[in-house]
Amino acid sequence: MAASTPGNEEEEDDYLSMTFADTTTPAPPKETSLQRTARLKKEAAARSLPLSKAELEAQAQANLETGLATSIDSSNRGAQMLARMGFKGGGLGKTEGARTRPIELEVKGDRGGIGMDSEKKRKVREAAEEAGAGGGEKRAKVGVEEFRVRRAGEREERRAEGLVWGAMRVLEGLGEDEKEGEGDDVPTTTTGHGAKKRRLRGVNILYRPLVRQRLERERDRKMRYDLNNSLSTRNDNDDDEDESVFDKRVEELEDADPELEEFEALSFAEKLERITKELREKYRYCFWCKFRYPDAEMEGCPGLTEDEHG
């Protein structure tokens, strides 16, 4: 065996000291139980977040495109039904060479009508812009003014309606007081509002809507009472005569009343004019002064209308 020289020893040492790079991918660190729990919580929180409107639209669009791009195969329920009925593929129909694929859809994303091309829409839009270039601001001002006038008219209409109902109550009170003073033959049993239990057709047409409205409320109240209370708990001392009178008046609500329909067709201003005129001529009462004068001249009353009373 040959003796080793100093140079050979160095080369041998260099050879023994050589290292080779590790080309294998290091294994990822093992996930601890705490890390796994935190990861699962984070994923669950991300899934629970609601999608935004843009994300939902993008998802729906992607699903639509996927569905349109997917061809019908043997897993399709419709194809399976056709196969059970003997269909072996090819075009449907008597003639050969018929369509073998479903009609492809063309999604329309705008609000224009079907068949209206973009050129027509552009021309219409340009014409509208040219026509409205000069008078747009004026039309906007007119629109605001019309809105204010309409709102003012609605407020005046509601106020006139309230005045009509108030005048009806005044006329009813004066009329009932006069009948009680005259001692007429109408039964004197009252409904709790001062109005006698006589037939609805016999009520003055000028405040008949008020009596009818009150009767409808009494009917609804009685129906609720009968539903909430058993007939077995009814008091035997109830006034059967009053009950029969009430039932007859309720039946009148279902009958046609042409005179009332004609009166209801009038405007609130016309109704108010007729009622105030009746108050002045028959009872010497001024609805605007809130005073009943001792004589027919009604000295001291400014006039017939609200404007004359300031």
Side-chain angles (χ1 to χ4, degrees), residues 67 70-84:
T70 303
S71 60
I72 297 177
D73 53 11
S74 59
S75 62
N76 183 269
R77 293 182 62 86
Q80 294 174 3
M81 293 174 62
L82 289 174
R84 286 196 293 269

Side-chain angles (χ1 to χ4, degrees), residues 40-100:
L40 294 177
K41 287 183 178 180
K42 186 176 181 180
E43 293 175 355
R47 288 194 301 269
S48 63
L49 291 177
L51 299 178
S52 63
K53 185 177 181 180
E55 292 174 343
L56 290 175
E57 292 178 355
Q59 184 178 2
Q61 183 66 23
N63 294 337
L64 178 62
E65 293 177 356
T66 303
L68 295 177
T70 303
S71 60
I72 297 177
D73 53 11
S74 59
S75 62
N76 183 269
R77 293 182 62 86
Q80 294 174 3
M81 293 174 62
L82 289 174
R84 286 196 293 269
M85 291 186 290
F87 179 69
K88 298 180 180 179
L92 294 175
K94 296 180 180 180
T95 60
E96 297 181 357
R99 178 184 290 273
T100 59

